[in-house]
Amino acid sequence: QVQLQESGPGLVKPSETLSLTCTVSGGSISTYYWSWIRQPPGKGLEWIGYIYYSGSTNYNPSLKSRVTISVDTSKNQFSLNVTSMTAADTAVYYCARAQSGTSSYLYWGQGALVTVSS
Amino acid sequence: DIVMTQSPDSLDVSLGERATINCKSSQSVLYSSNNKNYLAWYQQKPGQPPKLLMYWASTRESGVPERFSGSGSGTDFTLTISSLQAEDVAVYYCQQYYSTPHTFGQGTKLEIK
């Protein structure tokens, strides 16, 4: 069974860069698309983007200028960097994987709450 | 971007009764070449990640109870819970994966009346 686990800081200062890592277990990262999705407290879900194991990416245009998703197949991990963080970026950040043949998200991490505050 | 709009925002239903949640997309999510609707439904309980219920608009994910069903095509979709159980209290989201950015509805909060 595929499992995903986010790791990273829970608190980021305004204007700083957020770095989160998602560790994949129970399967190889060397297939499928691997995604990041976030959810501000009490609000809905926002797709950030995805990366294929080969390194090709697709980002939400609303965040594209500040987001980088990368993959490390040797560690079975993929990562998210978001620059110039503001309070509006405070959210639970989920890593996720779609099920085969669709882009409906079957596998999710438990989520990492990231608060932007000085 | 495809905008997903759910209705209602919240819903109170008695135990054992039917619950119906609607989702409308700003453009069709039906891919003509395979006749599939690129639409998924999720259930999210407090403190948990979303759980996939339905994909291709009407295909139930493995392990999802049969009381959950999805219908619709093109731009209008419905998630129905035929007989509400206490454990169905949650927020429900629709999501389109027809095009990127993948987008979600704003959510419908389902509670027991």
Side-chain angles (χ1 to χ4, degrees):
Chain A
Q1 177 76 340
V2 174
Q3 293 185 309
L4 294 82
Q5 180 66 58
E6 304 90 351
S7 58
L11 181 64
V12 176
K13 289 182 169 56
S15 80
E16 292 190 342
T17 296
L18 168 67
S19 295
L20 291 175
T21 296
C22 182
T23 301
V24 178
S25 58
S28 173
I29 202 169
S30 295
T31 187
Y32 300 111
Y33 290 85
W34 301 92
S35 301
W36 288 97
I37 295 165
R38 70 180 184 177
Q39 184 172 37
K43 297 188 177 180
L45 298 156
E46 180 180 33
W47 181 80
I48 299 172
Y50 64 59
I51 188 166
Y52 194 51
Y53 76 97
S54 62
S56 63
T57 55
N58 190 319
Y59 300 133
N60 191 324
S62 68
L63 296 166
K64 187 173 184 177
S65 64
R66 298 193 294 128
V67 166
T68 303
I69 300 175
S70 58
V71 64
D72 186 337
T73 55
S74 67
K75 295 182 179 180
N76 236 34
Q77 295 176 334
F78 64 107
S79 298
L80 170 70
N81 275 14
V82 183
T83 62
S84 304
M85 293 280 283
T86 72
D89 295 310
T90 293
V92 175
Y93 286 75
Y94 293 104
C95 56
R97 198 210 89 183
Q99 65 171 313
S100 178
T102 85
S103 288
S104 57
Y105 293 96
L106 178 58
Y107 301 103
W108 296 73
Q110 282 302 303
L113 174 61
V114 177
T115 302
V116 182
S117 175
S118 56
Chain B
D1 300 4
I2 298 177
V3 177
M4 308 299 291
T5 304
Q6 292 180 226
S7 61
D9 290 334
S10 64
L11 184 60
D12 294 341
V13 175
S14 300
L15 289 172
E17 296 299 305
R18 178 185 300 261
T20 301
I21 299 170
N22 301 300
C23 176
K24 188 175 184 66
S25 57
S26 61
Q27 63 188 77
S28 176
V29 298
L30 173 63
Y31 194 38
S32 56
S33 66
N34 60 9
N35 202 38
K36 287 182 181 288
N37 288 282
Y38 284 56
L39 189 285
W41 287 98
Y42 299 86
Q43 175 192 67
Q44 187 178 32
K45 297 181 178 180
Q48 297 183 17
K51 173 188 176 183
L52 178 64
L53 297 176
M54 315 287 300
Y55 56 97
W56 300 134
S58 60
T59 301
R60 200 179 299 112
E61 172 57 28
S62 175
V64 173
E66 290 185 3
R67 64 180 180 274
F68 289 90
S69 63
S71 63
S73 186
T75 62
D76 292 279
F77 300 90
T78 300
L79 175 71
T80 301
I81 308 171
S82 60
S83 176
L84 188 70
Q85 306 298 304
E87 61 265 31
D88 301 334
V89 169
V91 178
Y92 292 83
Y93 294 94
C94 60
Q95 175 228 338
Q96 66 80 20
Y97 48 97
Y98 180 89
S99 65
T100 58
H102 297 158
T103 48
F104 295 83
Q106 80 277 17
T108 295
K109 187 174 185 178
L110 176 59
E111 294 181 310
I112 305 294
K113 183 186 293 183

